[in-house]
Amino acid sequence: MEEFGPIFRAMLRNKVKFGLIVAEIALTLAVMANCAAMISKARNEVNRPSGFDDENLLAVSARPLDVAMRQPGALAAMFRRDRDIVRAAPGVRSMLETRFAPWSDSDSSTEIRVKGTNVELPTQDYNIGEGLTSALGVNLVEGREFTREDVDRDTERSVAVNEPTPGRGTDAQLAKSFEQDVIISLAFAKLAFGDGPYVGKWFDSDGGSYFHVVGVIDRFYKPAHQQRVDEYVMFMADRDESYQRGFRALVRTEPGQAATVARKIEERLQGSEDLLEIKVEGIPEVRTRHFGPQRLVATLMGIVIVLLVLVTSLGVAGLTSFSVTERTRQIGTRRALGATTGTIIRYFLMENWLLTTVGLILGVALAVGLNVVAVTVFSGTKLNVPLLTFSMVLLWTVGLGSAIAPAMRGSRISPAVATRNI
Amino acid sequence: MLGYHLKLIGRSLRQRPTHAMLIVLGIALGVAVATAFSAIRHSFAKDPIPEKSSTLHYVRIDSWDLSSYWETVPSQLTYIDAMAIMRSDIPVRKSAMFRAELNVVPEPGKTTASREAARLCFGDFFTMFNVPFEYGKGWDRSADEARDPVVVLSKELNDRIFGGSNSVGKLLHIEDRDFRVVGVLARWSPSIRYYDLVSGRSQSPPESMFVPFNFAGPMQIRPVGSQSSWKPPSGPGYEPEMFTGEKIWLQMWVELPTADKVVAFRSFLDAYVIDQKKVGRLRRPANNQVTPLLDWMAERHSVPPETTVMMIVALLFLSVCAMNLMGLLMAKFLARAPRIGVLRALGAQRWDIFVLHLLECEIVALTGGAIGFVLAWGALFGVNNYVKSMFRRADLFQMDWTMVLFAVVASLVAGLMAGLYPAYRVCRVSPSVYLKLQ
């Protein structure tokens, strides 16, 4: 420890050179810790489970490319054919007709009221066919799910309200007071009604429609454009047979067979008598696309951290090497006076250790300062102690590591050099 | 002196090529990261149409009910309001528009049909947004009024259907009728689909075809993208829902080249809203917005905040690289001190030594900057590839001359920051010390 005094005095005489290392380490730590915070936030988002059986889910879409399908009769027949093809494909465990797909970028939301109140409650809303719980892998907390009869009945009714059918006309009277059964998520049930039981409760909306709760499912999660409705949903029984959107379904396959089943479904739909635009996509792919921006940010930040460590270690090595060259005569003299190679190496490593430590202490302050700005101005991620500690340990090691080679070179300077001129 | 010094720089670089390479590469990495990350942000933040962005205005009218869904003025218009604005003569150009998807059947009966993204708009669209054409041109107002079945194709769709040939005059079957091609666009793919910041991802490329707005009714075309309504339609079918109801689903742009026009247009809107209130429509307090393009982009957050954070991180990284360069240059210069001592003794002025060394730093920085720019370009290719499936395009992030300028300025500033102190140190070298030693 007797080197401590000389090292310290040498630093004071060479403020700029040593200050540079300290500043570089400090800034590196500050940037690195904040990048790491962004990466960890992105990772947390990417790893959030949907609560559904994502690995075995497929989103199927078959859209008609033939204007003849605009006729309601032809359209219904096409839907029937597509439905039968998908359901009969080998490896299909269950099928839910719906536009809803976990992690997809489109969502549908609305506002409804608990009957008799004035508060508008936001929720996602989707039309579905039968088979909700088995397709999503969720459980009913209360009530029941839609049967095929429910779906057929409500679909027919909504067609009568929305689409004029030749000969029969539309049922304007029906549109005025439309009653529909709905299944909601537990989170939304709690928001709307507090504690249960929920089955038998009513909602209403501006249009004069009424919604009757028949079932409650235990979980639901789908990131929506309005973030506060991620866990709220209201499902209505309706096959939603539209020419523009085409046939859409969520298929749950036997475990591990998603890829094979996807190919089978695509082939069979291709072979149907209708002209269709077919897309069968695994939910994991949809998820990957959904989190694309987060993954991009995490990857780029990771690259920055690697480059930062590289550049900083280069800088530390360069400056230590410069120190060694500058003190060639001094080292030679010390060696001549009896200092061992170990002493010389220790001297430079100690110097480096001291600089890195000072840099890291300043760096923590800088990192926290930068983080406060990031959090307040850009709603960034808060730093945490493990991240900061990890960054510090890494930089410590890198700092020492990059000083070793120049220090070794210094230790090999022969005492004879001291007697020579430069 | 300059020539001599340049020779010296060259010699010193050749003497220790690895060392020189490390110095240049260090600053190249800094410029590369700074340029690439800035280019990512710049793709979203730049003025997409600088020659007229201040004259293009997005129009909104608060047509919502007193209920809570839209806290402020809705982002789109009802058909009633959009058509009322289309009747105004104040804007020199104007277009209501929406995004849709339509079936295209190049040859009836064959299985090459596809569903294409389409924009329904008025003929003014093409001149208003300076859309570049490869063949033909857009349609004019008389075609809009006469409801001529004409269509403008994107370069990509024309390549796919007509093999890239001049297809002007040819027929294309869309949904249930034939349209005549009147124009084919040249490559046009702004990073932000700035004329529609409402429907889906605004980073999507422009639509594959453009169809006269007045076909929406006869072909019963509904929008893909955002639409909402506070009031159920008065009856069944397309028209009550889309045309006569209160559904908001249309984007509206007007071109107002002078401040007078803006004032006149605003008072036209005010008068219109008062009239509508008299007939019982528009229940909320009047809130008409005529927003210039760049303000509208800011309001729609077309620059993701992450890209700003990333740019700041990149600039900090560049400063670490500059510090690094400063250390390495200081070592390099001071190693040269004996020679500088001799030069000084022979009559070189401090100022000359200072300037020459600063020059050396800038040469190093600019060389690094040039390499860095190439690296950044490569990195953007990589990033574009990475996001290809996400945005369904491979040209989302683009380099332009602004970014070249950015790279040059960034290198010069980094070189200056890194070089000032070492150059100052070396010019303070006292000749006597080194003369003695020699």
Side-chain angles (χ1 to χ4, degrees):
Chain A
M1 275 297 146
E2 72 271 18
E3 285 103 337
F4 204 81
I7 289 177
F8 198 67
R9 283 192 291 280
M11 279 180 188
L12 287 182
R13 270 199 302 280
N14 257 312
K15 288 195 203 77
V16 174
K17 191 179 77 189
F18 292 117
L20 206 56
I21 295 193
V22 170
E24 197 174 328
I25 299 259
L27 195 54
T28 301
L29 178 68
V31 176
M32 196 169 138
N34 279 289
C35 286
M38 282 171 78
I39 293 179
S40 86
K41 181 190 173 202
R43 288 187 67 95
N44 280 342
E45 282 174 19
V46 171
N47 290 332
R48 188 186 193 305
S50 70
F52 311 129
D53 188 12
D54 284 1
E55 294 306 311
N56 300 310
L57 282 179
L58 300 172
V60 178
S61 137
R63 304 201 289 185
L65 290 173
D66 181 355
V67 276
M69 291 298 157
R70 275 196 116 121
Q71 302 310 315
L75 190 66
M78 184 210 82
F79 267 81
R80 223 164 18 245
R81 282 191 289 273
D82 294 345
R83 187 176 301 139
D84 292 344
I85 288 174
V86 174
R87 195 178 282 134
V92 170
R93 190 163 153 194
S94 55
M95 180 192 86
L96 177 69
E97 265 183 86
T98 181
R99 284 167 66 200
F100 161 75
W103 307 113
S104 87
D105 275 330
S106 61
D107 59 81
S108 151
S109 55
T110 184
E111 286 189 344
I112 53 167
R113 297 180 297 242
V114 172
K115 192 177 172 185
T117 68
N118 273 322
V119 191
E120 302 272 353
L121 300 172
T123 176
Q124 299 187 51
D125 65 319
Y126 300 96
N127 290 319
I128 56 171
E130 65 271 17
L132 173 69
T133 55
S134 62
L136 288 183
V138 296
N139 301 310
L140 280 167
V141 207
E142 219 187 288
R144 59 180 184 87
E145 63 179 307
F146 299 137
T147 60
R148 180 174 293 199
E149 291 68 45
D150 290 328
V151 178
D152 287 342
R153 186 193 60 231
D154 284 2
T155 304
E156 203 175 304
R157 225 161 42 145
S158 94
V159 168
V161 172
N162 293 312
E163 299 283 338
T165 31
R168 201 174 56 171
T170 54
D171 198 336
Q173 203 47 48
L174 199 54
K176 285 278 180 308
S177 61
F178 196 67
E179 280 181 23
Q180 200 164 13
D181 291 344
V182 296
I183 296 173
I184 58 178
S185 64
L186 185 58
F188 187 56
K190 283 194 169 138
L191 174 81
F193 307 110
D195 290 331
Y198 307 111
V199 168
K201 295 278 171 64
W202 289 86
F203 292 104
D204 62 13
S205 82
D206 260 342
S209 309
Y210 294 93
F211 304 97
H212 180 232
V213 179
V214 296
V216 178
I217 53 170
D218 58 349
R219 61 180 185 274
F220 178 83
Y221 177 75
K222 158 132 169 62
H225 287 102
Q226 273 177 298
Q227 258 184 359
R228 56 203 170 117
V229 297
D230 288 358
E231 295 186 12
Y232 305 156
V233 73
M234 176 171 89
F235 288 116
M236 288 159 288
D238 190 334
R239 297 203 195 281
D240 205 358
E241 296 181 350
S242 120
Y243 165 77
Q244 282 205 359
R245 284 195 288 270
F247 173 80
R248 305 276 282 268
L250 202 57
V251 170
R252 188 172 178 201
T253 68
E254 297 298 339
Q257 292 186 27
T260 350
V261 177
R263 232 181 6 257
K264 279 266 152 52
I265 291 178
E266 214 167 327
E267 276 166 19
R268 293 188 177 198
L269 282 173
Q270 213 83 57
S272 95
E273 61 190 83
D274 306 305
L275 192 51
L276 299 169
E277 184 192 65
I278 298 151
K279 203 166 125 196
V280 183
E281 205 175 21
I283 294 302
E285 291 165 58
V286 181
R287 181 192 170 100
T288 305
R289 194 167 56 233
H290 173 78
F291 286 116
Q294 283 91 332
R295 282 191 310 134
L296 180 64
V297 168
T299 312
L300 291 178
M301 290 294 126
I303 293 174
V304 167
I305 290 184
V306 171
L307 292 179
L308 205 53
V309 168
L310 196 79
V311 166
T312 304
S313 66
L314 202 76
V316 172
L319 280 171
T320 314
S321 169
F322 173 47
S323 262
V324 170
T325 317
E326 213 181 26
R327 285 182 243 175
T328 305
R329 276 155 61 81
Q330 182 196 333
I331 295 167
T333 312
R334 285 192 64 193
R335 293 276 282 122
L337 292 175
T340 61
T341 51
T343 319
I344 303 293
I345 293 181
R346 201 172 63 211
Y347 177 88
F348 281 107
L349 291 189
M350 186 97 95
E351 185 182 86
N352 180 274
W353 180 83
L354 210 61
L355 289 173
T356 313
T357 309
V358 176
L360 289 179
I361 292 168
L362 288 180
V364 170
L366 198 59
V368 171
L370 205 62
N371 192 243
V372 169
V373 177
V375 169
T376 48
V377 183
F378 303 105
S379 56
T381 328
K382 266 216 159 100
L383 275 183
N384 55 33
V385 178
L387 270 182
L388 207 52
T389 320
F390 173 76
S391 312
M392 283 175 79
V393 170
L394 182 68
L395 275 183
W396 231 320
T397 327
V398 167
L400 273 185
S402 30
I404 286 176
M408 297 275 277
R409 189 166 64 84
S411 72
R412 282 194 300 268
I413 289 170
S414 98
V417 173
T419 60
R420 257 189 256 145
N421 277 339
I422 296 170
Chain B
M1 186 83 184
L2 180 67
Y4 172 68
H5 201 83
L6 285 177
K7 214 189 285 170
L8 284 187
I9 295 174
R11 190 179 301 160
S12 86
L13 290 179
R14 269 197 308 276
Q15 261 167 8
R16 299 182 63 192
T18 343
H19 188 244
M21 220 168 69
L22 278 183
I23 291 186
V24 172
L25 208 66
I27 198 70
L29 278 180
V31 174
V33 171
T35 308
F37 283 25
S38 301
I40 287 176
R41 184 175 185 281
H42 180 65
S43 297
F44 298 140
K46 72 177 163 210
D47 186 342
I49 176 167
E51 62 276 21
K52 60 196 298 190
S53 58
S54 59
T55 66
L56 298 175
H57 292 76
Y58 190 76
V59 186
R60 284 167 292 167
I61 287 177
D62 196 344
S63 65
W64 207 251
D65 187 37
L66 294 164
S67 84
S68 69
Y69 192 85
W70 290 98
E71 280 155 15
T72 122
V73 53
S75 52
Q76 299 185 100
L77 292 181
T78 63
Y79 183 83
I80 300 175
D81 297 331
M83 290 308 112
I85 294 168
M86 284 305 294
R87 282 191 290 274
S88 162
D89 285 332
I90 300 167
V92 292
R93 297 190 180 92
K94 61 209 176 212
S95 179
M97 59 178 89
F98 67 97
R99 183 181 165 93
E101 281 179 0
L102 300 174
N103 283 342
V104 174
V105 189
E107 292 168 80
K110 293 237 176 112
T111 55
T112 47
S114 62
R115 193 173 277 251
E116 302 293 338
R119 179 149 301 264
L120 280 94
C121 58
F122 287 86
D124 280 0
F125 175 87
F126 306 99
T127 41
M128 191 153 60
F129 294 105
N130 285 354
V131 182
F133 277 86
E134 185 161 347
Y135 304 117
K137 55 184 171 58
W139 60 87
D140 54 22
R141 287 187 185 178
S142 59
D144 274 324
E145 272 159 37
R147 201 178 274 156
D148 286 346
V150 291
V151 62
V152 166
L153 306 182
S154 73
K155 182 174 167 41
E156 291 74 21
L157 190 61
N158 188 56
D159 285 351
R160 201 145 27 97
I161 294 182
F162 295 108
S165 66
N166 184 350
S167 58
V168 170
K170 295 203 174 144
L171 291 183
L172 186 62
H173 196 76
I174 302 173
E175 294 283 345
D176 58 352
R177 60 195 76 193
D178 281 335
F179 284 79
R180 185 166 41 86
V181 178
V182 291
V184 174
L185 301 189
R187 205 190 82 91
W188 185 51
S189 80
S191 297
I192 290 274
R193 194 188 52 204
Y194 58 93
Y195 55 84
D196 179 1
L197 300 173
V198 180
S199 320
R201 275 188 167 159
S202 60
Q203 296 93 347
S204 325
E207 290 75 17
S208 333
M209 55 191 191
F210 299 83
V211 175
F213 184 92
N214 288 336
F215 281 95
M219 292 170 71
Q220 306 214 336
I221 303 170
R222 288 165 205 272
V224 294
S226 164
Q227 49 175 321
S228 42
S229 179
W230 55 271
K231 191 179 174 184
S234 59
Y238 181 87
E239 291 209 355
E241 184 191 349
M242 310 305 290
F243 283 3
T244 55
E246 290 292 343
K247 173 168 280 188
I248 54 164
W249 59 294
L250 295 172
Q251 301 113 40
M252 180 83 216
W253 287 95
V254 294
E255 184 175 338
L256 305 167
T258 62
D260 291 348
K261 286 267 186 195
V262 177
V263 172
F265 184 71
R266 280 181 196 277
S267 40
F268 158 77
L269 274 189
D270 291 343
Y272 169 72
V273 169
I274 291 170
D275 274 358
Q276 288 294 302
K277 280 178 179 290
K278 278 184 198 147
V279 299
R281 274 192 72 232
L282 308 181
R283 302 191 196 176
R284 285 211 209 173
N287 183 8
N288 308 325
Q289 301 287 334
V290 183
T291 320
L293 171 60
L294 293 186
D295 295 346
W296 178 234
M297 282 171 67
E299 200 176 324
R300 297 298 292 179
H301 304 290
S302 60
V303 180
E306 289 86 358
T307 60
T308 308
V309 174
M310 271 164 44
M311 190 179 77
I312 294 172
V313 164
L315 290 177
L316 289 172
F317 177 68
L318 179 61
S319 9
V320 171
C321 291
M323 280 184 182
N324 197 31
L325 181 64
M326 182 172 163
L328 294 172
L329 286 173
M330 199 145 71
K332 199 175 166 63
F333 289 174
L334 290 182
R336 207 185 276 166
R339 203 169 57 210
I340 302 297
V342 176
L343 272 177
R344 291 270 289 117
L346 291 176
Q349 296 297 306
R350 267 193 186 152
W351 178 246
D352 295 332
I353 306 283
F354 178 76
V355 169
L356 286 173
H357 280 87
L358 204 56
L359 188 72
E360 182 172 346
C361 300
E362 292 296 14
I363 289 174
V364 166
L366 278 180
T367 315
I371 298 173
F373 185 79
V374 175
L375 288 177
W377 205 328
L380 272 201
F381 267 107
V383 174
N384 271 331
N385 240 321
Y386 191 87
V387 299
K388 203 157 113 187
S389 66
M390 223 189 302
F391 297 103
R392 299 194 170 85
R393 62 189 291 186
D395 58 357
L396 182 61
F397 302 119
Q398 298 160 11
M399 277 293 180
D400 60 13
W401 287 106
T402 319
M403 292 327 293
V404 177
L405 190 70
F406 173 89
V408 171
V409 172
S411 325
L412 285 177
V413 170
L416 195 69
M417 268 167 51
L420 268 182
Y421 184 76
Y424 170 77
R425 268 295 290 277
V426 78
C427 84
R428 302 281 299 178
V429 159
S430 142
S432 56
V433 176
Y434 294 100
L435 288 179
K436 244 189 295 176
L437 273 175
Q438 302 271 336

